[in-house]
Amino acid sequence: MMKNNFFNNLGMAMRAGKITTGEEAVIDSVRKGEAKLVIVAEDAAVNTSKKVGDKCNTYRVPLHQYGSREQLGASIGKESRVVIAVTDAGFAKMLKKSLENRTEVDSIE
């Protein structure tokens, strides 16, 4: 259930125009201080994860690895997406909350 919640929230953020996708665009929004949360697909290439991860560390942007590139893409109505930045603090907070809840839900099942 929580999984859907996360992807639903991502879809809402997309419809609100608060999402940036694609490695270069995401890194750019991290650099500009626009990204409030970055999500990298669990099946992302190692060098992509590292590059985006290093940039997020430098600029202190929270980063989560979650979902497959297909799930991330589908949740925002696009082709598969490997890297997504959320540029709205409210949506970022909501998404982080659904990720934190997820670990508790997963352990119960």
Side-chain angles (χ1 to χ4, degrees):
M1 196 177 100
M2 288 323 289
K3 274 194 171 77
N4 302 350
N5 198 2
F6 175 80
F7 292 119
N8 288 342
N9 291 343
L10 207 53
M12 279 196 311
M14 179 68 190
R15 289 190 293 280
K18 304 298 184 186
I19 295 271
T20 304
T21 67
E23 193 177 325
E24 293 312 315
V26 166
I27 285 174
D28 198 42
S29 89
V30 167
R31 206 179 282 132
K32 287 179 181 163
E34 293 164 359
K36 307 292 181 244
L37 172 67
V38 174
I39 299 136
V40 178
E42 286 164 359
D43 55 358
V46 174
N47 56 347
T48 301
S49 296
K50 184 175 175 1
K51 188 172 162 190
V52 174
D54 290 348
K55 194 58 74 180
C56 287
N57 278 340
T58 305
Y59 290 90
R60 295 188 168 81
V61 175
L63 172 98
H64 285 281
Q65 262 202 309
Y66 187 65
S68 68
R69 55 183 77 201
E70 275 72 32
Q71 286 175 310
L72 291 176
S75 69
I76 60 168
K78 304 276 185 201
E79 293 296 299
S80 64
R81 288 289 188 265
V82 178
V83 188
I84 296 178
V86 179
T87 57
D88 176 84
F91 280 115
K93 194 174 166 186
M94 199 160 67
L95 287 160
K96 275 188 277 194
K97 200 177 229 75
S98 56
L99 282 172
E100 283 156 18
N101 292 346
R102 176 195 98 207
T103 45
E104 295 157 26
V105 173
D106 286 353
S107 59
I108 295 167
E109 283 165 16

